[in-house]
Amino acid sequence: MASLLKEAELKFLQSQINPHFLFNTLNAASQLAMIEGSDKASEFIENIAQLFRYNLKNIDDLVPLRDEIEHVKNYMGILKMRFGNRIEFLAI
């Protein structure tokens, strides 16, 4: 029983570490892109980081509408980078 508890604790800690590592890595990449003058790459990486962060929230929590709108804007920013002029999104 103690072994199962230790394993569950380890898995829980790993699940907490991996998202933080991902966010920190994406933020570092975004800052590096900005320093090197690649504003588009920086914005793209930041949109991905925000998308991951939003998707890891507890789905049972209520979310303000402005957060949902910001999430859609981030997602559309990613699609716009991917598809260029083949997709259009008018933000409010």
Side-chain angles (χ1 to χ4, degrees), residues 1-9:
M1 185 71 169
S3 175
L4 289 174
L5 182 58
K6 288 282 186 192
E7 186 177 332
E9 288 174 354

Side-chain angles (χ1 to χ4, degrees), residues 3-69:
S3 175
L4 289 174
L5 182 58
K6 288 282 186 192
E7 186 177 332
E9 288 174 354
L10 180 61
K11 287 186 186 267
F12 176 74
L13 286 174
Q14 287 174 331
S15 74
Q16 295 298 308
I17 293 168
N18 290 337
H20 291 291
F21 176 76
L22 177 62
F23 299 143
N24 290 339
T25 302
L26 288 171
N27 284 333
S30 176
Q31 291 172 2
L32 179 61
M34 191 180 301
I35 289 169
E36 292 181 347
S38 183
D39 295 337
K40 281 186 175 183
S42 177
E43 181 182 345
F44 181 72
I45 294 166
E46 183 62 30
N47 283 339
I48 292 170
Q50 293 295 333
L51 186 76
F52 282 138
R53 187 173 289 122
Y54 187 85
N55 284 333
L56 288 173
K57 287 183 179 181
N58 187 348
I59 61 171
D60 294 330
D61 293 344
L62 292 176
V63 179
L65 182 57
R66 76 176 158 274
D67 290 356
E68 287 288 322
I69 292 170

